[in-house]
Amino acid sequence: MKKLALLANVMLLVGCYTPMNNSGVSTNKPWIDVSGTRLDFNGDQYDSCVKFNLRFWPQEAAERINLYQSCITACCWRSEKNEITLDFNKDFEKELAQKGRARKYTPGQVTLKVTHSNFVNLTKVTVSPHGAINNKGLLKLKYEEIDDPERLAQLQAARNTVPSFLAESPRVSTIPLTKSKKATPAQPTANIARPVTGSSAERAKQLLQLNRGTQIDTYFYGMNKTYRKQGSLFLLSSRFFQATPYGQDSFLVSCHAKARTGIEETQLKASDFACGKWIVNLQNGTVEPYDTKAKTIALL
């Protein structure tokens, strides 16, 4: 009877296996990849290199974690990392302080614990909280947009102010302003009520679109493709650009786009997606990436 019970337990475990990896190891989840193993003198496995083939919803959640160190873009030896914690709210406070707006995810942390049984040649991962990752490797999170009104006001004021060092530049006074009832003479000043929107600023925006428009479109095309793979919707609006003086003959142009995302068309959420900050030099006709996002897009 004991042998029959043992056999029944083994058959039950076998029924949960996915096909073997290239290393000849079975796993309890299809999104676990065992890239290599280490064996002792008896031929028993004492270590393995495990990689998690995960996808994220929303996609931006992946930006909060180190995909390499979390064994998602590279395998990790079980002896060195048998438990991985994905902390999606680790930099929440920092991002809120910097940008005035940040997402807070639920669950904030997802833990993956890896074990292996030589008896049944099975590598197993336990996910906490249970059900956070589905059988296809999709890690789905809920989120809330948190605003810091005071910080947002500070950032808006900074965007509406010409840097003081520009007030000493004789070239600043040559930038024509758009005609308006509230327009003031084009005199250097340390405080303008809104960003420069004259012809020079417009030319800077046009130059960005001309030089980097294809790369920006490619970036959003890739984002749309990723969302579709996850079975979700990504409805993108037009791009928006804001130009601020940045030294002589140059502008710092910020790019962003509004979009609505979600699983169901009737429950889409509005989001703002950045497409980088760029330094545009009108005299040289050059457009160079300024922040990390722009540097990533420039490589596309």
Side-chain angles (χ1 to χ4, degrees), residues 16 45 67 122 136 165 167 169 174 180 198 246 275 277 291 296:
C16 297
Q45 182 195 134
L67 298 177
L122 173 68
K136 294 183 179 180
F165 72 87
S169 172
T174 65
S180 170
Y246 190 85
C275 37
K277 294 182 179 180
D291 63 356
T296 300

Side-chain angles (χ1 to χ4, degrees), residues 5 62 76 242:
C76 304
Q242 185 178 48

Side-chain angles (χ1 to χ4, degrees), residues 7 18 78 126 164 168 170-171 175 179 198 216 222 227 235-236 263 268 273 286:
L7 181 60
T18 63
R78 194 176 74 252
T126 303
S164 58
E168 301 173 1
R171 291 182 177 270
I175 300 177
K179 294 182 179 180
I216 292 173
Y227 272 78
L235 305 180
L236 187 69
I263 301 295
L268 298 180
F273 293 91
T286 58

Side-chain angles (χ1 to χ4, degrees), residues 136-265:
K136 294 183 179 180
L138 177 61
L139 196 162
K140 187 177 179 182
L141 301 169
K142 296 180 180 179
Y143 67 89
E144 180 183 5
E145 293 276 2
I146 306 296
D147 287 352
D148 182 343
E150 183 177 350
R151 180 55 176 158
L152 286 173
Q154 291 174 350
L155 293 173
Q156 185 61 45
R159 284 194 292 266
N160 293 344
T161 303
V162 175
S164 58
F165 72 87
L166 291 175
E168 301 173 1
S169 172
R171 291 182 177 270
V172 174
S173 62
T174 65
I175 300 177
L177 296 176
T178 53
K179 294 182 179 180
S180 170
K181 293 181 179 179
K182 296 183 180 180
T184 56
Q187 297 294 329
T189 176
N191 186 17
I192 295 179
R194 53 187 174 80
V196 176
T197 58
S199 60
S200 295
E202 293 302 322
R203 285 194 290 119
K205 297 176 187 179
Q206 293 169 9
L207 198 58
L208 170 58
Q209 296 178 70
L210 180 64
N211 288 14
R212 301 292 185 171
T214 300
Q215 291 168 308
I216 292 173
D217 288 343
T218 300
Y219 168 72
F220 282 120
Y221 174 78
M223 185 178 292
N224 178 56
K225 189 175 181 180
T226 300
Y227 272 78
R228 279 167 40 188
K229 282 184 178 179
Q230 296 175 351
S232 54
L233 298 172
F234 180 80
L235 305 180
L236 187 69
S237 72
S238 301
R239 285 48 149 181
F240 298 92
F241 303 93
Q242 185 178 48
T244 305
Y246 190 85
Q248 294 185 2
D249 299 316
S250 294
F251 283 85
L252 181 63
V253 183
S254 300
C255 170
H256 70 99
K258 298 289 185 180
R260 296 180 66 81
T261 61
I263 301 295
E264 298 179 5
E265 192 170 355

Side-chain angles (χ1 to χ4, degrees), residues 112-134:
L112 308 172
K113 186 172 183 180
V114 182
T115 57
H116 179 78
S117 170
N118 280 319
F119 178 67
V120 291
N121 190 30
L122 173 68
T123 294
K124 180 180 178 181
V125 63
T126 303
V127 181
S128 178
H130 180 74
I133 304 174
N134 69 16

